[in-house]
Amino acid sequence: MRLNPFNSDNIKVRSSGGGGVGKAGGIGCGTIILAAIGYFAFGLDPMQTISTVEGVQQTTQQSGPANTNEEEICNSSEYALEACNGLQSLNQTWARLFQEQGLGDRFQQPTLDLFRNGRVTTQGCGSATSASGPFYCPADQTIYIDTSFYDQLARMAGNRGDFARYYVLAHEYGHHIQTITGISGQIRSAQQRASRAEANQLQVRMELQADCYAGVWAGRNRNLIEPGDIEEGMQAAAAIGDDRLTGGRVSSENFTHGTSAQRSQALRLGLQGDDRACDEITVLR
């Protein structure tokens, strides 16, 4: 995508620095998801991608105070710059959408934490490593991404895959929209009263709606989309379906993100540019 350069006055970015930890035990779900994106969107060897994540986790660095200088953080690497440009575009797009629907006073920007070197301690969701993959913490309204992994992924993929990375960021931003609109709270409340299978299905709805919201952002910025971007995003969505990631070994009752077909369909629905169509995904009847 041809996004405009970020303006540090329009985004909230910080970097939490290194975590001073060694290799985490096991391969996290986020690692598998990123390996799948690397394979289907970038053509990368999944085992090479997993090795990259593990290499990031092995890096040791002393923790330090969070850096809140947006200019310095965003210009620290090509991926950080890409993420900041994406964040600004997402802020502008969703601020306009809220304004159009008379909800301008409810819009709040999330913070983007571009932490590095394997581990971060959030301000409301505990600690996480790069194995978790990119994630959103509703307690502090922050999107967390380990840029040291993405720096290496970008080097392996070359110039390919920027839209797939934007899709991941836009998906996490979708969870922020769910938080500030109250959808997330409604779903969490319903999950507490539901059986395990029902709770999983509610979680699937949350993830599919976030996919749809990612599509809304892309659909509202079609003038910036380059040939092949949409196909790249659809491949990324299909790559991280529960059925694809588990090779069909997990039953639908245990799905947490939806099938490849469901995720692709949700992204396609959002590409029409109407976020209200996405709201139907989480309507509780």
Side-chain angles (χ1 to χ4, degrees):
M1 294 186 74
R2 304 182 302 275
L3 298 184
N4 295 325
F6 76 92
N7 181 335
S8 60
D9 294 332
N10 297 330
I11 56 176
K12 295 192 291 185
V13 182
R14 67 170 183 249
S15 177
S16 296
V21 298
K23 176 181 175 182
I27 299 175
C29 179
T31 304
I32 298 173
I33 290 174
L34 293 171
I37 291 178
Y39 174 70
F40 289 101
F42 309 151
L44 303 178
D45 181 347
M47 295 310 297
Q48 183 181 9
T49 306
I50 290 172
S51 296
T52 297
V53 177
E54 291 179 333
V56 170
Q57 292 172 348
Q58 290 172 349
T59 303
T60 301
Q61 178 175 319
Q62 294 299 315
S63 298
N67 183 358
T68 56
N69 184 321
E70 285 92 351
E71 288 283 350
E72 182 178 324
I73 297 168
C74 294
N75 288 299
S76 64
S77 71
E78 290 184 13
Y79 176 72
L81 179 59
E82 179 183 277
C84 291
N85 293 343
L87 178 65
Q88 176 173 265
S89 177
L90 283 157
N91 284 340
Q92 293 171 340
T93 299
W94 281 104
R96 285 195 300 269
L97 277 164
F98 273 62
Q99 196 68 40
E100 289 171 7
Q101 297 173 25
L103 303 172
D105 58 337
R106 296 183 60 182
F107 178 74
Q108 303 171 46
Q109 292 186 20
T111 298
L112 176 62
D113 192 319
L114 298 174
F115 72 97
R116 295 185 64 82
N117 298 315
R119 188 177 182 85
V120 66
T121 299
T122 74
Q123 298 181 19
C125 300
S127 298
T129 70
S130 56
S132 302
F135 67 96
Y136 173 74
C137 176
D140 58 17
Q141 297 190 13
T142 299
I143 298 169
Y144 291 88
I145 300 176
D146 185 343
T147 60
S148 53
F149 167 75
Y150 273 105
D151 289 340
Q152 295 187 51
L153 181 61
R155 283 195 290 271
M156 290 191 296
N159 293 325
R160 296 167 293 155
D162 64 316
F163 190 80
R165 292 190 294 271
Y166 285 134
Y167 159 72
V168 172
L169 176 62
H171 172 93
E172 299 307 330
Y173 201 104
H175 287 309
H176 175 66
I177 298 301
Q178 291 171 330
T179 296
I180 62 177
T181 57
I183 292 173
S184 178
Q186 294 172 19
I187 295 295
R188 298 302 179 207
S189 177
Q191 284 178 314
Q192 293 177 0
R193 304 187 301 270
S195 66
R196 178 179 176 180
E198 291 171 336
N200 284 342
Q201 288 303 307
L202 288 170
Q203 184 63 37
V204 167
R205 292 193 193 189
M206 286 270 286
E207 297 298 335
L208 293 178
Q209 186 181 54
D211 286 332
C212 188
Y213 283 159
V216 169
W217 166 73
R220 287 276 179 145
N221 293 278
R222 282 187 178 273
N223 60 312
L224 304 176
I225 292 177
E226 298 178 318
D229 280 346
I230 297 298
E231 292 77 10
E232 192 176 292
M234 297 301 292
Q235 287 177 338
I240 52 181
D242 285 316
D243 55 335
R244 181 73 66 87
L245 291 173
T246 64
R249 293 187 297 274
V250 176
S251 68
S252 59
E253 290 186 352
N254 294 319
F255 284 172
T256 58
H257 285 71
T259 65
S260 295
Q262 287 175 322
R263 301 201 72 168
S264 298
Q265 182 180 12
L267 179 59
R268 188 178 293 109
L269 175 64
L271 284 167
Q272 299 175 21
D274 185 358
D275 63 298
R276 289 167 294 190
C278 304
D279 294 341
E280 290 299 313
I281 295 175
T282 54
V283 171
L284 301 177
R285 296 182 175 85

